[in-house]
Amino acid sequence: MAQHKLSIRQRNVDNILLAAEQVFAEKGFAGTAMADIAEAAQLPRSNVHYYFSTKAELYQAVLFGLLDVWKQDALCFELYDDPRIVLSSYIRAKMNHSRTRPHGSKVWANEIIHGAPNLGAALDAPLYDWAKMKEAKIRQWIEAGRILPVEPSGLLYMIWASTQHYADFSHQVGLLNDHQPLSELQFERAVQTVTSVILRGIGLEP
Amino acid sequence: MAQHKLSIRQRNVDNILLAAEQVFAEKGFAGTAMADIAEAAQLPRSNVHYYFSTKAELYQAVLFGLLDVWKQDALCFELYDDPRIVLSSYIRAKMNHSRTRPHGSKVWANEIIHGAPNLGAALDAPLYDWAKMKEAKIRQWIEAGRILPVEPSGLLYMIWASTQHYADFSHQVGLLNDHQPLSELQFERAVQTVTSVILRGIGLEP
DNA sequence: GTCTATAACGCGATAGAC
DNA sequence: GTCTATCGCGTTATAGAC
């Protein structure tokens, strides 16, 4: 009985979160009405309010889910040691997410662009620690002479920006691709381009 | 007399456009109230409406001004021929704009992320033509064996994304820089990082 | 050209029946 | 857990005096 109730809740919450991620990505926080999310989730407005009492609460729930996704993409930093393997895995993972789950990236970008007014310290600190670990790894590679000396943060930003561009700016990418979304083949070429420029850029052979 | 009137108009319009660019960047289109812009421009609400009758009209005026800025950054594509010179000039110009005029970049990013609902065909076509010219130039370099073969559009996207990241994601960059905006020196290092990775990434010596 | 007052509307959130 | 009705606020845009 309690289990049944829970599963109803779980199903509705997941449904709402997914719909919210899409609508927030398309219209931004201020631009989306709770009614839009309810419609996308095929639920009455009040039902959404039952699970998330305010719009801000729902929005933050979406954001919290995203940091987990970013972290999963970077597991290769712990799994491997060779910079060639780590970075090419990381780039591919992030590009895959840009293709299969572009909405999340857009919501995140939106929030940061506006100065992260909804991202409390609850997310600042984890993000900071997580990024510093990655920078430390890059610094080790440099000190060991395994890659050319570059600013570790600058390298990370190039990877983030170049991969997330295919999600965040998908409209512009499509426009410049003769008003067509990238095909699988074109997307694979984009992965290759980012990978080869980054790797060669720090002195590795792709 | 007519000249005096014109100069008042010009002054107010410029003032409003500048204020609007900043507020739109911080709060997005839906998130900004005309009152916010009026306050930033130190004018009464109704005065803003006198020059721009609707919020959408003002927003579009801001967007139109931005494409000109992008185009100026890319003048080096016509001035020079050597890929090393052209690309390092381009990267520096865009990075300078990311530092000195970050608001514009944010407004543009916001608009594209949301699928460019306010960007009519009036801007689509110029952007398309302009980008295709740049791609053609890159293709020439490849065919002449002056740079390694990469997807021209992919290279452009990497440059756009990596440079605009310092404007659009300035909040995150500051957060990861121990809650401090980048100093002049750090910013110069960022320019060097982007330049060297891109140039080496296509087979050139920085 | 400038400013005050107000009309018209959309939205978030809640109360309360089922 | 679900749904209808409604309150109250903030916002855009305009009308009209100065």
Side-chain angles (χ1 to χ4, degrees):
Chain A
M1 188 99 102
Q3 183 127 36
H4 182 60
K5 272 189 187 174
L6 191 70
S7 86
I8 287 180
R9 168 169 283 270
Q10 194 66 47
R11 199 165 49 85
N12 281 339
V13 165
D14 288 349
N15 182 23
I16 292 169
L17 282 173
L18 197 69
E21 181 173 305
Q22 175 153 358
V23 180
F24 281 137
E26 285 166 2
K27 308 195 173 190
F29 176 71
T32 76
M34 290 295 266
D36 298 334
I37 297 173
E39 192 188 7
Q42 291 185 310
L43 287 171
R45 277 186 286 281
S46 316
N47 208 331
V48 178
H49 266 106
Y50 175 74
Y51 292 104
F52 298 92
S53 44
T54 70
K55 185 165 76 157
E57 186 184 325
L58 172 52
Y59 183 67
Q60 283 169 355
V62 171
L63 284 179
F64 268 72
L66 288 173
L67 196 57
D68 284 340
V69 177
W70 302 162
K71 287 185 178 179
Q72 281 177 16
D73 286 344
L75 285 180
C76 49
F77 274 80
E78 276 106 54
L79 288 175
Y80 313 109
D81 186 56
D82 178 15
R84 235 182 100 259
I85 307 291
V86 171
L87 294 179
S88 61
S89 301
Y90 188 43
I91 290 168
R92 182 165 290 277
K94 284 197 67 63
M95 286 293 277
N96 276 345
H97 266 129
S98 280
R99 182 152 181 83
T100 60
R101 197 178 163 173
H103 305 310
S105 183
K106 287 179 180 176
V107 175
W108 185 270
N110 225 314
E111 176 67 8
I112 302 296
I113 285 176
H114 294 136
N118 297 285
L119 234 66
L123 268 181
D124 276 10
L127 177 64
Y128 182 91
D129 295 341
W130 177 80
K132 289 303 163 191
M133 298 271 277
K134 275 48 188 174
E135 289 181 19
K137 185 98 174 188
I138 294 172
R139 214 179 303 275
Q140 285 172 16
W141 289 332
I142 294 171
E143 285 166 3
R146 301 177 77 176
I147 65 173
L148 291 174
V150 290
E151 191 63 33
S153 57
L155 177 60
L156 271 183
Y157 297 157
M158 285 191 76
I159 295 174
W160 292 349
S162 297
T163 55
Q164 289 169 202
H165 182 89
Y166 286 88
D168 301 343
F169 288 73
S170 59
H171 174 84
Q172 190 170 278
V173 170
L175 172 68
L176 298 182
N177 189 45
D178 299 319
H179 299 81
Q180 293 285 330
L182 294 192
S183 67
E184 284 289 339
L185 181 62
Q186 289 177 312
F187 200 80
E188 178 59 28
R189 266 196 228 123
V191 176
Q192 292 300 335
T193 301
V194 174
T195 306
S196 66
V197 172
I198 291 286
L199 291 188
R200 265 199 293 258
I202 55 175
L204 298 173
E205 280 303 312
Chain B
M1 188 97 107
Q3 183 128 34
H4 182 62
K5 274 187 183 172
L6 191 71
S7 85
I8 287 180
R9 169 169 281 270
Q10 194 66 47
R11 201 164 49 85
N12 280 339
V13 165
D14 287 350
N15 181 23
I16 292 169
L17 282 173
L18 198 69
E21 182 174 305
Q22 175 153 357
V23 180
F24 280 138
E26 285 166 2
K27 307 196 173 189
F29 176 72
T32 75
M34 289 295 264
D36 298 334
I37 296 173
E39 192 189 6
Q42 291 185 310
L43 286 171
R45 277 186 286 282
S46 316
N47 209 331
V48 177
H49 266 106
Y50 175 74
Y51 292 103
F52 299 93
S53 44
T54 70
K55 184 165 75 157
E57 186 184 325
L58 171 53
Y59 182 67
Q60 283 169 355
V62 171
L63 284 178
F64 269 72
L66 289 172
L67 195 56
D68 284 340
V69 177
W70 304 161
K71 287 185 179 178
Q72 281 177 16
D73 287 344
L75 285 180
C76 50
F77 274 81
E78 275 106 54
L79 287 174
Y80 313 108
D81 186 56
D82 178 15
R84 236 182 98 260
I85 308 290
V86 171
L87 294 180
S88 58
S89 302
Y90 187 44
I91 290 169
R92 182 164 291 277
K94 284 196 68 63
M95 286 294 277
N96 277 345
H97 265 129
S98 280
R99 181 151 182 82
T100 61
R101 198 177 162 173
H103 305 309
S105 183
K106 286 179 180 176
V107 176
W108 185 270
N110 225 313
E111 176 66 9
I112 302 297
I113 285 176
H114 295 131
N118 297 286
L119 235 65
L123 268 180
D124 276 10
L127 177 64
Y128 183 91
D129 295 341
W130 177 80
K132 289 302 163 191
M133 298 271 276
K134 277 42 187 177
E135 288 182 19
K137 185 97 173 187
I138 294 171
R139 215 179 302 274
Q140 284 172 18
W141 290 331
I142 294 171
E143 284 166 4
R146 302 177 75 176
I147 65 173
L148 292 174
V150 290
E151 192 63 32
S153 57
L155 177 59
L156 271 184
Y157 298 157
M158 285 191 76
I159 295 174
W160 293 349
S162 298
T163 56
Q164 289 169 202
H165 182 89
Y166 287 88
D168 301 344
F169 288 72
S170 59
H171 175 84
Q172 190 171 279
V173 171
L175 172 68
L176 297 182
N177 189 46
D178 299 319
H179 300 80
Q180 293 285 329
L182 294 193
S183 67
E184 284 290 340
L185 181 63
Q186 289 176 314
F187 199 81
E188 178 59 28
R189 265 197 228 124
V191 176
Q192 292 300 335
T193 301
V194 174
T195 305
S196 66
V197 172
I198 292 286
L199 290 188
R200 266 199 292 258
I202 56 175
L204 297 174
E205 281 303 313

